Amino acid sequence: MKLVSSTGRPRVTTPNEDRYLAVTAKRNRRSTASDLSRQLSSATDTTVSRQTVYRRLAHIGLYARRPVRCVPLTATHCRLRLAWSREHVLWTPQQWSCVMFSDESRFSLQSYSRRTFIWRAPGTRYHQENTIERHRYGGARWLVWGGIILGSRTDLHV
């Protein structure tokens, strides 16, 4: 029995092959649609285009998106941040007015296309499996520093 899509055209893949694509994409989130197409072809002798792979995965809610890039935090970092927040949870605005928060950001001068994509469902952007940790910036860069205090701020330093 030949499966037919909603447009009346015969479907190239079976539901089992669609499941195979979904499982493979979830196991290796950084695989491309072309990679998935080749894997399906070698496993089932069914040849599909990368566009078909996109459609099949979109049908189950998986889309190719850029992963979130973050600085890795160790268990010690997390424990210390939690302890700090618990110590200061009951501070008054008067106490906070004596504290300055500062931050620095590095901006790379070299182009990075960020063409790495992962397969993920909507609403799962910040899940751990959808993030890529970055440890350093390579090449030339700018360092920008600034601080804020209740009702004021510092100049931005480059």
Side-chain angles (χ1 to χ4, degrees), residues 60-100:
I60 62 159
L62 290 178
Y63 300 92
R65 298 288 186 259
R66 279 184 294 208
V68 173
R69 298 179 62 82
C70 68
V71 177
L73 293 178
T74 64
T76 304
H77 285 129
C78 295
R79 190 178 65 253
L80 291 173
R81 285 178 174 209
L82 181 60
W84 186 91
S85 63
R86 286 182 175 157
E87 289 172 13
H88 297 85
V89 72
L90 298 176
W91 272 27
T92 65
Q94 178 67 27
Q95 290 170 305
W96 283 115
S97 67
C98 301
V99 177
M100 181 178 80

Side-chain angles (χ1 to χ4, degrees), residues 33 35-36 45 47:
D35 293 340
L36 293 171
D45 291 329
T47 305

